[in-house]
Amino acid sequence: MLQNGLTRRLKIDYPIIQAPMAGGVTTSELVAAVSNAGGLGMIGAGYLSPDQLRNQIMEIKALTRKNFGVNLFVPNQYAVDEQKLKHSEKYLQTIESEIGIPTVTPSLPNYKQDKETFQQMVNIVLEENIPICSFTFGIPSEEIRTKLKENASIIIGTATTVQEAIMNEEAGMDAVVVQGSEAGGHRGTFAAGEQQSLIGLMSLIPQAADCLSIPIIAAGGIMDGRGLMAAQCLGAMGVQMGTAFLVCEESGANTLHKDAILEASEDQVVITKAFSGKMARGVNNLFIERLQKTEDDLPEYPLQNALTKGIRKAAAASKNPEYMSLWSGQSPRLAKKLTAQELIEKIINETLKLKNVLS
Amino acid sequence: MLQNGLTRRLKIDYPIIQAPMAGGVTTSELVAAVSNAGGLGMIGAGYLSPDQLRNQIMEIKALTRKNFGVNLFVPNQYAVDEQKLKHSEKYLQTIESEIGIPTVTPSLPNYKQDKETFQQMVNIVLEENIPICSFTFGIPSEEIRTKLKENASIIIGTATTVQEAIMNEEAGMDAVVVQGSEAGGHRGTFAAGEQQSLIGLMSLIPQAADCLSIPIIAAGGIMDGRGLMAAQCLGAMGVQMGTAFLVCEESGANTLHKDAILEASEDQVVITKAFSGKMARGVNNLFIERLQKTEDDLPEYPLQNALTKGIRKAAAASKNPEYMSLWSGQSPRLAKKLTAQELIEKIINETLKLKNVLS
């Protein structure tokens, strides 16, 4: 099952997709290395500007002739609760003065502007003829879906429950990433309740497979050939791996972030809203612990994300992992320092060996 | 991999263990039917009296000549917080008067007595030469472990993190059930933090497999051949299935409980401490929702369990599932009304078909 309908559709050798991690992780080198090794490299464009996205696409095109993709965050309307904003800002200032960084008034996001940027990003995907475009935090409008499909782009959605997966299929998405509770980084939940959307892949994949006809791509805690084979047994056609690629040599993640994962055990990886106002999974640290009790009083995503930007940046600059967002899935013990190519080769070898054992 | 070191050790045909669900689910008919069909039937003896356990063992011995096992709850010391007790009792009385049931002062558990009962249960396992004894909520004392092993019993522990699994191996347990976050009913966590112990099986199995040499039995959301194959790909030798057997004909679960699972979707199954003071997974209902905000103020297990007994009993008697504990794993959509034998045959057929597809 290394070659199947999904790999043929995406024109890749192996059903391994590098998760489109935002925030500088998916360097052009990483994306190109993954695609060159037979997987699908993906640009995590969630926090890029349109110019940055276009530049990165050009860079990657110079590094590989293979298919690669772009992931976009679908902007969502959010409540601006002045009281929560002030409360959070004040608390974060306490931390800022404690760890000795200058307090800067953060520039807050603007939904109307987010929507305009999103449209510009879609236009770049169209103009650059990017063959694969995936979406997180929601389903893009019918107009965008139609335009991308007319341009022969394959569009992939993200779901955290069976119902969200069905919504993606009904909207005409070509495939859907089902994100299990094991997954690192932000939860892609867009319709389900927060707590109700933490479904383990052992449950999520087969239940989604029974309800869908489009290909399922499993994401969450998958790091090796065992995970790829298990995901396929459960009904997925391919896997999307984040943490495994995050610790790779070509990844742009901060060294402290990579080290934190390489040293962590599975029970040190927690769900938190502290960094952004939206549930995300990462290695536990002081920042998460300090904000734990006030999680329900934080401003919504992306407001809290904007508020904590200064702290995260300063913490990285001063090499203090206690105040950085150390996103990781629940399998940090399986993380290995490899190149992207070595990782993909390792997974394929493991998969072939497992097949022999099983048959 | 249907026959392996685990099945040989347990003297069973298939690596399928019926989870020892407590509270009347594991009837003698269910346990015997599972063992007769080639799996391992287990008595969930957690809430049985010594006499009840002995009687059930005798009943099952009359129904099958195959191996079956007993599961015991390891008693743990708990804090008796009078204020929390009073607060919870008062709140539960409000509910009792609302749903029209007489308020009875509940008899509270007693740790010393629990320990004596536990010792009596172990003695019965010894006297009746039960070949397999598993434990939940902790590791039994060295004395008990030694006695059981001297009597040729195979002892199996329960873990929710890699560290807990290692502790079981170091204590000389012959195998360990790793309970993923997908699992229904009570969490078997005994050393890890509550939130830190919710690890999905896609992450928990391979990380445990890399650290252990004793056989791993995977539990949580596994309902069919896909789950069995996936668990084995990840490094487990067998599976323990609760919800799948709970809805079987021979199971003693209340019909309303079975129906609630058969009608539920995966996002309606939540983690709650409302019923017992200990984290457990079940189908969401009014009782869970009403107690959600006060979860941290509830008396510890087994105190809260004793306090809610009256409500749960009365709700069952008046056919009101909104106040019953409807334990379920995260795969209710995969639940089927079958006999235990039909379920096991279905799983084996699915597994053999999957093997053919994979090879």
Side-chain angles (χ1 to χ4, degrees):
Chain A
M1 315 224 278
L2 285 178
Q3 281 82 41
N4 57 32
L6 181 70
T7 56
R8 280 190 290 276
R9 191 81 201 276
L10 301 177
K11 295 196 178 106
I12 53 179
D13 296 329
Y14 309 122
I16 298 170
I17 299 171
Q18 163 247 310
M21 297 163 280
V25 177
T26 62
T27 59
S28 301
E29 291 68 29
L30 178 65
V31 175
V34 171
S35 288
N36 283 331
L40 183 71
M42 295 281 296
I43 303 175
Y47 302 128
L48 295 186
S49 70
D51 279 350
Q52 286 174 317
L53 175 59
R54 200 186 294 272
N55 288 341
Q56 204 182 352
I57 289 171
M58 298 206 295
E59 265 180 31
I60 297 169
K61 280 182 177 172
L63 294 170
T64 183
R65 301 180 120 185
K66 301 273 189 97
N67 266 5
F68 64 92
V70 168
N71 173 270
L72 301 176
F73 288 171
V74 178
N76 288 294
Q77 190 66 269
Y78 47 87
V80 183
D81 184 321
E82 290 297 340
Q83 210 183 333
K84 286 184 174 178
L85 267 174
K86 262 188 205 144
H87 185 264
S88 177
E89 217 171 333
K90 207 176 155 193
Y91 187 72
L92 294 171
Q93 280 168 6
T94 319
I95 295 179
E96 282 165 350
S97 69
E98 256 185 56
I99 61 174
I101 66 161
T103 294
V104 185
T105 308
S107 65
L108 288 182
N110 172 302
Y111 175 60
K112 210 182 139 204
Q113 205 178 298
D114 290 350
K115 264 176 51 172
E116 278 166 26
T117 307
F118 178 67
Q119 187 60 58
Q120 288 169 33
M121 306 287 265
V122 170
N123 290 342
I124 292 170
V125 169
L126 289 165
E127 288 156 23
E128 297 289 337
N129 289 308
I130 298 297
I132 296 134
C133 188
S134 73
F135 295 90
T136 312
F137 304 144
I139 299 172
S141 68
E142 197 182 342
E143 194 196 331
I144 289 175
R145 292 177 338 240
T146 306
K147 269 193 190 161
L148 284 164
K149 289 188 120 182
E150 279 172 2
N151 204 43
S153 277
I154 294 162
I155 52 176
I156 301 176
T158 307
T160 59
T161 63
V162 174
Q163 185 51 38
E164 288 182 348
I166 292 172
M167 288 165 75
N168 271 285
E169 172 160 316
E170 286 177 347
M173 306 304 279
D174 296 301
V176 64
V177 173
V178 300
Q179 186 192 35
S181 54
E182 297 92 343
H186 280 103
R187 306 284 311 145
T189 307
F190 64 92
E194 277 184 345
Q195 289 303 325
Q196 282 69 36
S197 69
L198 288 163
I199 320 288
L201 283 183
M202 188 64 84
S203 290
L204 184 56
I205 302 172
Q207 291 180 99
D210 285 348
C211 294
L212 297 190
S213 55
I214 56 172
I216 290 171
I217 298 157
I222 299 169
M223 312 275 282
D224 58 20
R226 294 175 290 187
L228 171 55
M229 279 288 281
Q232 291 198 336
C233 286
L234 292 168
M237 294 192 86
V239 296
Q240 181 168 288
M241 307 196 320
T243 312
F245 284 111
L246 189 147
V247 296
C248 277
E249 263 179 40
E250 299 93 338
S251 137
N254 191 297
T255 311
L256 295 171
H257 186 172
K258 294 183 184 182
D259 288 346
I261 292 170
L262 290 162
E263 288 158 19
S265 57
E266 81 295 344
D267 50 356
Q268 290 166 336
V269 176
V270 298
I271 289 275
T272 181
K273 289 169 79 170
F275 289 105
S276 70
K278 193 194 272 292
M279 290 206 309
R281 189 180 287 286
V283 180
N284 197 23
N285 63 11
L286 259 180
F287 186 76
I288 293 174
E289 284 180 4
R290 291 183 68 163
L291 270 78
Q292 201 158 30
K293 280 194 179 156
T294 55
E295 283 216 346
D296 293 333
D297 304 322
L298 296 176
E300 281 184 35
Y301 181 92
L303 296 169
Q304 176 73 359
N305 198 50
L307 294 187
T308 65
K309 201 176 172 183
I311 289 178
R312 288 180 282 131
K313 238 180 155 170
S318 64
K319 299 189 196 292
N320 183 354
E322 294 297 339
Y323 293 91
M324 292 165 60
S325 57
L326 306 167
W327 304 141
S328 169
Q330 285 193 309
S331 310
R333 292 179 192 253
L334 307 183
K336 306 252 181 271
K337 258 188 175 168
L338 299 168
T339 65
Q341 189 185 334
E342 286 166 351
L343 175 63
I344 290 174
E345 280 172 4
K346 178 179 156 289
I347 296 169
I348 299 307
N349 287 335
E350 288 163 347
T351 306
L352 294 173
K353 263 191 212 165
L354 249 178
K355 267 191 180 184
N356 283 335
V357 175
L358 288 173
S359 60
Chain B
M1 314 222 281
L2 285 178
Q3 280 81 43
N4 57 31
L6 181 71
T7 56
R8 279 188 292 276
R9 190 83 202 274
L10 301 177
K11 297 199 178 103
I12 54 178
D13 297 328
Y14 309 122
I16 299 170
I17 298 172
Q18 163 248 310
M21 297 163 279
V25 176
T26 62
T27 59
S28 301
E29 291 70 30
L30 178 65
V31 176
V34 171
S35 287
N36 282 331
L40 183 71
M42 294 282 295
I43 302 175
Y47 301 129
L48 296 185
S49 70
D51 279 349
Q52 286 175 318
L53 174 59
R54 199 184 293 270
N55 287 340
Q56 202 180 354
I57 289 172
M58 297 208 294
E59 264 180 30
I60 297 169
K61 281 182 175 172
L63 294 170
T64 184
R65 301 180 120 188
K66 302 275 190 94
N67 265 5
F68 65 93
V70 167
N71 173 270
L72 301 176
F73 289 172
V74 178
N76 288 295
Q77 190 66 271
Y78 47 86
V80 182
D81 184 320
E82 291 295 341
Q83 210 182 336
K84 285 185 174 179
L85 267 174
K86 262 188 206 148
H87 185 265
S88 177
E89 218 172 333
K90 207 174 155 194
Y91 186 72
L92 293 172
Q93 279 168 5
T94 318
I95 295 179
E96 282 165 349
S97 68
E98 257 184 57
I99 61 172
I101 65 162
T103 295
V104 185
T105 308
S107 64
L108 288 182
N110 173 301
Y111 175 59
K112 209 183 140 207
Q113 203 177 298
D114 290 352
K115 265 178 48 175
E116 278 167 25
T117 307
F118 178 67
Q119 187 60 58
Q120 288 170 33
M121 306 288 265
V122 170
N123 290 342
I124 293 171
V125 168
L126 289 165
E127 289 155 23
E128 297 288 337
N129 288 308
I130 298 298
I132 296 135
C133 188
S134 74
F135 296 89
T136 312
F137 304 144
I139 299 172
S141 69
E142 196 182 343
E143 194 197 331
I144 288 175
R145 291 175 341 238
T146 307
K147 270 194 189 162
L148 284 165
K149 290 186 121 181
E150 281 172 1
N151 204 43
S153 277
I154 294 162
I155 53 175
I156 302 176
T158 306
T160 59
T161 63
V162 175
Q163 186 50 37
E164 287 183 349
I166 292 170
M167 290 165 74
N168 271 284
E169 174 161 315
E170 287 177 349
M173 307 303 279
D174 296 300
V176 64
V177 173
V178 300
Q179 185 192 35
S181 55
E182 297 92 341
H186 280 103
R187 306 286 309 146
T189 307
F190 64 93
E194 277 185 345
Q195 290 303 324
Q196 281 69 38
S197 68
L198 288 164
I199 320 288
L201 283 182
M202 187 65 85
S203 290
L204 183 56
I205 302 172
Q207 291 180 101
D210 286 348
C211 294
L212 296 190
S213 57
I214 55 172
I216 290 170
I217 298 158
I222 299 169
M223 312 276 281
D224 58 22
R226 293 176 290 187
L228 170 56
M229 280 287 282
Q232 292 199 335
C233 287
L234 292 167
M237 294 192 86
V239 295
Q240 181 168 288
M241 308 197 318
T243 312
F245 284 111
L246 189 148
V247 296
C248 276
E249 263 177 41
E250 298 93 337
S251 134
N254 190 299
T255 312
L256 294 171
H257 186 172
K258 294 184 185 182
D259 288 346
I261 292 170
L262 289 162
E263 288 159 19
S265 58
E266 80 295 345
D267 51 355
Q268 291 167 337
V269 176
V270 298
I271 289 275
T272 181
K273 289 169 80 171
F275 289 105
S276 70
K278 192 193 271 291
M279 290 207 308
R281 191 180 285 287
V283 180
N284 196 22
N285 62 12
L286 259 179
F287 186 77
I288 294 173
E289 285 181 5
R290 290 183 68 165
L291 271 77
Q292 200 157 30
K293 282 193 178 157
T294 55
E295 282 213 349
D296 293 333
D297 304 321
L298 296 177
E300 281 184 34
Y301 180 92
L303 295 170
Q304 176 72 1
N305 199 49
L307 294 187
T308 64
K309 200 175 171 184
I311 289 179
R312 288 180 283 130
K313 235 178 157 175
S318 63
K319 298 186 196 291
N320 184 353
E322 293 298 338
Y323 292 91
M324 292 165 59
S325 56
L326 306 168
W327 304 141
S328 169
Q330 284 193 311
S331 309
R333 292 178 192 255
L334 306 183
K336 305 255 181 269
K337 259 188 175 166
L338 299 168
T339 65
Q341 188 185 336
E342 286 167 351
L343 174 63
I344 290 175
E345 281 173 4
K346 178 179 156 288
I347 296 169
I348 299 308
N349 287 335
E350 288 163 348
T351 306
L352 295 173
K353 264 191 210 163
L354 249 177
K355 268 191 177 183
N356 283 335
V357 175
L358 288 173
S359 60

